[in-house]
Structures are given as structure tokens and as C-alpha cells.
Amino acid sequence: MHLPVCFVATTFNVWKDVRWPERKEALESYIKVSSPDILCLQELRLETRNLLDVVLPDHSRVDDGFEGWSNESNIYWNTHLFELVSYGAEQIGILEPLRRLFWVRLRVRGLQRTLMVATAHYSYQGTEREKNEGINPRIEQARKTIDALNKLSFEEETVLFMGDLNDSVNAIRVLKSGGLQDSFSALGTPLVPTHPAIPTSPGTLPQVIDWQFHKGPIRVMNTSVVDYFHGDIAPSDHKPVVTTYVLT
């Protein structure tokens, strides 16, 4: 009989190279303290990727020639728990040229069981077309996310999708109607703003724009939005969303 498989997953927008290297110690310190088993990143850059490679010696990530894996998103996983089966980057209509639905299929070590982990960074609310015409591109991006996940995932496979979705209403509604459940609703807990991390990034209204979703044989044990500071500097302008899961 196998013991239940529990793991910690984090989604984190690491804010390009803004205020870098001023934020370096804060990001390094937070990742060392938290050391998630699965880490999905947005606004990744070579500087932050190189740092994470050092800070997470027991983890692997996707190494691919497509520039988006080094300058937009990547996924790290704990090699003691998981091994890579396959990966890819799907076009889902995101306006920014290097952004995709980035995904990996991981096998749980010691078990003939896989889970699919995907991340995306949906388009910013401040595009000229959205401001002037009121067209929300994230609704279509969410629909294409569901289509891609349904196409790529196996029957009865555990699916995790997380990222900076730049939305708290309509795109989220589409994802939920497509069969995904967010980690907050799974536990009946109130939503907590994930942006901005004040005072490191002041000047905008608090927003819930970073999310974790799941479907399939998996259960949420706890979920939280983390406030973390090294001195008076946060690791990013976003706060990470951290969730503990158990495979059922």
C-alpha cells in the first residue's frame, strides 16, 4: 500500500528584471525558505532563472531553445518526487509574443501515475485595444486554455493550471465552467489580493490576479497568498500563491 503523495505548488510572477539586483536577496531568501515541489513562473528572465538554478539544486526545469522558456515562463519540479515525461508550449492567443501555455507532464516517482502542470501569463489589462474598445482578450485566452488542457491531458489525469491571469472575474468564470476549480474555492476561503506587494511596488489598487486551478484526482489541503520581505524589500511586485495538494 502506498502512502498518499503530498506536495507543495507555487505560482509566482517574478517581475522581469525590475529593481534587479536590489530584489535578488529577497527572491533568493524566499525560494530557499519555501522550496516548493512545483514552481510555476511568469515574467522570468535569465538573471532570475540563473539564480533559481542555484537556489533549487534538487529541482529540474525545462531546457528548450524557445526563448519563452527563459524570458517568460518555466516550470521547476522536485526531482526526488517527480520525473519529466514530456513538455510543450501551446499558442492560446496571448498578445505578448513569447507567452504561451507552458506545460510539463510529470511522473510520480515509484508510481505509474502522471500529472500535467501548466502555467500562463494572460495579457495585461492596460492594452490600448482593451482601454479604448473594452474588449477583454483574457476571455478567449481562458477558452483556449481549456481547449488545450482537454486536448493534452489523459483521461482521469490530474491537471494543475496556475499563473498570472490578470483577471478576477470573466476569465476565471470561463476556466471554472471548463471544469477547473480554484484553490480558494476548494477550501471555501476568501480571496486574498496577490498584487501589488507594498511598499516594494506601490501605486495600484489591490487585485486578485494570480491563481491556482486543478481538476482530476487531487485534493487541496491548504492554500495561501504569501507576504514575504527581506528587510523592507519583497521578492517581486506579485505575491506568490502557495498550495499544498494530495493526490487521491
Side-chain angles (χ1 to χ4, degrees), residues 1-8 37 81-82 108-111 113 217-219 221 244-248:
M1 184 177 73
H2 293 285
L3 293 174
V5 177
C6 296
F7 62 93
V8 176
D37 299 305
L81 288 178
F82 305 108
V108 182
R109 290 196 180 275
L111 300 176
R113 179 168 182 178
I218 192 169
R219 184 160 58 94
M221 302 297 288
T244 301
Y245 294 97
V246 60
L247 297 178
T248 56

Side-chain angles (χ1 to χ4, degrees), residues 6-10 28 30-41 48-63 74-84 104 106 109 117:
C6 296
F7 62 93
V8 176
T10 295
E28 179 179 11
Y30 173 71
I31 297 299
K32 282 182 177 178
V33 167
S34 61
S35 191
D37 299 305
I38 291 174
L39 175 61
C40 290
L41 298 158
T48 46
R49 193 191 72 175
N50 292 341
L51 173 65
L52 293 168
D53 286 349
V54 174
V55 175
L56 294 170
D58 294 329
H59 291 61
S60 287
R61 58 166 170 81
V62 172
D63 187 7
N74 210 311
I75 302 170
Y76 284 74
W77 60 91
N78 183 338
T79 55
H80 296 297
L81 288 178
F82 305 108
E83 57 184 335
L84 180 66
V104 297
L106 302 174
R109 290 196 180 275
V117 182

Side-chain angles (χ1 to χ4, degrees), residues 193-209:
T194 65
H195 182 273
I198 298 171
T200 303
S201 175
T204 61
L205 292 174
Q207 305 176 84
V208 181
I209 54 177

Side-chain angles (χ1 to χ4, degrees), residues 44-46 49 64-74 97-100 102:
L44 185 68
R45 295 296 183 265
L46 285 173
R49 193 191 72 175
D64 186 89
F66 172 51
E67 189 180 356
W69 287 104
S70 57
N71 281 282
E72 274 298 345
S73 288
N74 210 311
L98 294 180
R99 295 184 189 175
R100 303 285 190 276
F102 297 91

Side-chain angles (χ1 to χ4, degrees), residues 29-205:
S29 176
Y30 173 71
I31 297 299
K32 282 182 177 178
V33 167
S34 61
S35 191
D37 299 305
I38 291 174
L39 175 61
C40 290
L41 298 158
Q42 306 86 44
E43 294 195 5
L44 185 68
R45 295 296 183 265
L46 285 173
E47 295 87 348
T48 46
R49 193 191 72 175
N50 292 341
L51 173 65
L52 293 168
D53 286 349
V54 174
V55 175
L56 294 170
D58 294 329
H59 291 61
S60 287
R61 58 166 170 81
V62 172
D63 187 7
D64 186 89
F66 172 51
E67 189 180 356
W69 287 104
S70 57
N71 281 282
E72 274 298 345
S73 288
N74 210 311
I75 302 170
Y76 284 74
W77 60 91
N78 183 338
T79 55
H80 296 297
L81 288 178
F82 305 108
E83 57 184 335
L84 180 66
V85 177
S86 56
Y87 70 89
E90 305 295 313
Q91 289 272 18
I92 56 169
I94 301 176
L95 303 178
E96 293 77 2
L98 294 180
R99 295 184 189 175
R100 303 285 190 276
L101 178 74
F102 297 91
W103 62 271
V104 297
R105 173 165 285 112
L106 302 174
R107 180 178 290 112
V108 182
R109 290 196 180 275
L111 300 176
Q112 292 302 311
R113 179 168 182 178
T114 61
L115 65 153
M116 183 180 175
V117 182
T119 188
H121 187 182
Y122 288 177
S123 295
Y124 173 54
Q125 308 101 315
T127 63
E128 289 304 312
R129 187 178 186 191
E130 185 164 352
K131 288 190 296 184
N132 296 330
E133 300 178 33
I135 296 173
N136 181 348
R138 293 172 298 284
I139 296 175
E140 184 63 20
Q141 290 161 18
R143 292 189 182 119
K144 290 184 176 180
T145 295
I146 294 297
D147 291 343
L149 294 176
N150 289 338
K151 178 187 73 173
L152 293 165
S153 61
F154 300 148
E155 187 176 356
E156 300 302 320
E157 185 176 35
T158 296
V159 175
L160 297 180
F161 169 62
M162 61 192 80
D164 175 0
L165 305 185
N166 274 314
D167 208 311
S168 59
V169 182
N170 288 317
I172 306 308
R173 174 182 51 80
V174 171
L175 294 171
K176 289 182 176 181
S177 67
L180 295 174
Q181 185 176 31
D182 71 274
S183 60
F184 301 104
S185 297
L187 294 179
T189 58
L191 297 177
V192 178
T194 65
H195 182 273
I198 298 171
T200 303
S201 175
T204 61
L205 292 174

